[in-house]
Amino acid sequence: MWRVRRGEIVAAMPTTSALTTPSTAALLQQLQLLQRERALATLGGVAANELYMTDLRDELAATHAAYVGAAVTEIASLRAEIDGPLFG
């Protein structure tokens, strides 16, 4: 999926209506992209646009939460594959 921000076309995470869940790697890539966007916004003077920065902060927080959840799930799944189910 793609979206337009400040006249540029950039990659975007699938919407909640998408049938697939993004991988942990895809979420990390999106998180890094958003962090670079925040740094560029600060350097480019866009940080003064409160609406833009609020939207970016919200998107960063949501992507971070999704990434952490996916990473924890991936670790737990791997542990279960290696050690088997937990009892007790």
Side-chain angles (χ1 to χ4, degrees), residues 1 5 7-8 11 13-14 16-19 25 37-38 42 44 46 54 56 59 62-63 66 69 74 78 80 82 87:
M1 298 191 92
R5 186 174 273 198
E8 292 181 32
M13 296 305 299
T16 55
S17 64
L19 297 176
E37 183 176 339
R38 180 179 56 191
T42 302
V46 183
T54 298
L56 186 55
E59 196 170 347
T63 304
E74 194 172 289
L78 180 60
I82 293 171
F87 297 103

Side-chain angles (χ1 to χ4, degrees), residues 8-64:
E8 292 181 32
I9 298 175
V10 293
M13 296 305 299
T15 63
T16 55
S17 64
L19 297 176
T20 60
T21 303
S23 69
T24 304
L27 288 166
L28 177 59
Q29 186 177 24
Q30 179 67 12
L31 185 59
Q32 291 170 338
L33 178 73
L34 290 168
Q35 290 169 337
R36 284 192 298 272
E37 183 176 339
R38 180 179 56 191
L40 288 172
T42 302
L43 291 173
V46 183
N49 184 333
E50 196 172 319
L51 216 69
Y52 173 80
M53 293 306 288
T54 298
D55 179 58
L56 186 55
R57 270 191 299 275
D58 291 347
E59 196 170 347
L60 267 161
T63 304
H64 182 265

